[in-house]
Amino acid sequence: MTKQGNDVENAPIAINDEGETMHDREELFLKENGLDADGIDREALLTSFADEMNAGLAGRASSLMMIPSFISIDRPVKTETPVVVLDAGGTNLRAAVVSIDGTGQARIGSFSKRAMPGTQGALGAEAFFDAFAEFLMPIIAESESIGFCFSYPAEITPACDARLIRWSKQIEVPAVVGQMIGSGLLRHLAQRGYERRVVILNDTVATLLAGKSAGVAKPYSAYVGFILGTGTNTAYVERNDRITKRADLDPSGLMVINVESGAFRGVRQSAFDVTMDAQTIDCGHYTFEKMISGAYLGWLGFTVLCAAAQAGFFTAAAAERIAAWPTLSNKHLDDFCGGRPTPDNPFQDTAFSTDDRETAVRLCTPVYARAAVLTAVNLASAILKTGAGHDPARPVCVNVDGSTYYRTLTADFPQRVQRELAALLKPRGIAYELIRVDESPVIGAAVAGLM
Ligand code: BGC
């Protein structure tokens, strides 16, 4: 922190353009520690995103891995054929049997869900794969093919297996890093007597495919898949001749690229980001994701509150209570700042005075406002990278998925993202449409399994 202790008490009161005194002790504290949503240089970030994306495609040093998916969007999809789908997300592992009809609509049946292995304590590799195989047993007989949506950074092979590059979202199964995920699953299925084929794809690639499938009748010029849930990431369709780090691609073809945008390094961390990052199991990695996604926003707000409590922003009772919390969930913080706390919300504690509560809202709302600005910059970067959307009759289709995007109440979140995005793209004459397809990762994994 650059500012601690009672210094803040003496901080000057800022005057805005109209000469009015702003209620800004909290705002100053945040700014002095590097958290300032309004001050973000959006244009500079767009340039930085574009540079990093180009470097990643060329195989030069970049924070963006730009992972080829080996999935194109124009292959025929078998209709009225069931496929087994496995969806390994940041919080849940889900399975279903899915079929797609002639109009691109999905039928999802035999749906089941459990906690994602590795979220409830550390696990070994064999136990991890076994949990996946076991989970599929009730539906495995339904299809020879498995579409596997895997929501972690993984290098995809031309045969659509996936080698885990690293875990994100604080998953604790270190032994699986570097291993082939599809082969591990197939090995454990074979031990149970089932020979299968598997297609693995990132959840943003699946989301892009689900958007394409749902919007099949519409004349879109390009497709983007974006997720803001427990984690965050972006996928878009790239020309193979621009993926110059690979010499084995048909230069006339197209392929979906998994950007791994959560790993973007172009945004300077505030003092709060640095403090929180130091407590994660992957310090220094995925710093962009740690600023905008559901796994971290509550934790980040909690970091702000702890620092503010130490700096004398709260009554002694409230400061003591904050210091005693182990952390703060995103749901609790967002419900509270968004004005809809449930009775079990920690801020309902009588230790908090009305002033304490208002102070907490003023300190944490900017955490969400910054996330909205960065989300918009991320989306705009992907839309611009498609090179499309110049004809208003053929917008870029952006399928957005993820609970953090849709459910965040604080800072008027989804509307703020949309306003910011329009401010970046309208002046450039880029037409785009944000769409929502429920169960996108599951549907997209089915589409890939049926290609
Ligand atoms: C992962 C991505 C994934 C995203 C959204 C990130 O933590 O690295 O692969 O697409 O979360 O689930």
Side-chain angles (χ1 to χ4, degrees), residues 417-434:
V417 172
Q418 287 163 37
R419 283 197 304 271
E420 288 279 343
L421 186 57
L424 292 170
L425 294 184
K426 290 277 145 74
R428 291 177 156 87
I430 303 294
Y432 59 93
E433 204 174 296
L434 302 186

Side-chain angles (χ1 to χ4, degrees), residues 230-416:
T230 310
T232 188
N233 192 12
T234 322
Y236 74 103
V237 183
E238 185 57 279
R239 283 170 27 187
N240 287 355
D241 65 353
R242 293 202 179 129
I243 312 172
T244 52
K245 64 181 167 187
R246 296 222 45 140
D248 57 345
L249 307 179
D250 166 9
S252 66
L254 300 168
M255 175 181 302
V256 185
I257 293 287
N258 165 14
V259 175
E260 283 298 327
S261 50
F264 181 54
R265 286 289 303 182
V267 184
R268 176 167 312 148
Q269 289 177 300
S270 72
F272 311 112
D273 297 300
V274 171
T275 302
M276 185 195 76
D277 191 17
Q279 294 161 36
T280 61
I281 59 175
D282 56 348
C283 178
H285 295 281
Y286 279 76
T287 51
F288 188 73
E289 174 162 284
K290 288 170 184 170
M291 294 177 189
I292 73 172
S293 80
Y296 304 102
L297 285 170
W299 191 353
L300 189 56
F302 176 62
T303 308
V304 171
L305 293 176
C306 288
Q310 274 188 28
F313 276 80
F314 294 101
T315 58
E320 203 178 295
R321 200 49 47 95
I322 290 169
W325 290 341
T327 184
L328 194 53
S329 73
N330 182 37
K331 172 159 182 3
H332 279 152
L333 183 62
D334 176 47
D335 282 356
F336 171 67
C337 294
R340 295 202 212 142
T342 45
D344 66 334
N345 194 288
F347 291 96
Q348 305 280 31
D349 194 305
T350 50
F352 288 86
S353 68
T354 306
D355 272 1
D356 285 328
R357 294 201 179 101
E358 286 173 0
T359 301
V361 170
R362 279 196 298 273
L363 283 166
C364 293
T365 302
V367 170
Y368 292 91
R370 182 185 67 163
V373 172
L374 296 178
T375 297
V377 170
N378 180 161
L379 279 167
S381 301
I383 294 168
L384 290 170
K385 188 77 181 88
T386 66
H390 294 284
D391 173 1
R394 299 182 66 235
V396 177
C397 172
V398 185
N399 187 15
V400 180
D401 190 70
S403 51
T404 304
Y405 180 81
Y406 289 108
R407 292 207 206 124
T408 300
L409 302 164
T410 309
D412 201 17
F413 192 85
Q415 293 76 13
R416 187 177 293 244

Side-chain angles (χ1 to χ4, degrees), residues 90 150-154 168-169 202-204 227 229-234 258 260 286 289:
F150 188 66
S151 309
Y152 300 92
S168 54
K169 306 176 184 126
N202 185 262
D203 55 348
T204 53
I227 295 190
T230 310
T232 188
N233 192 12
T234 322
N258 165 14
E260 283 298 327
Y286 279 76
E289 174 162 284

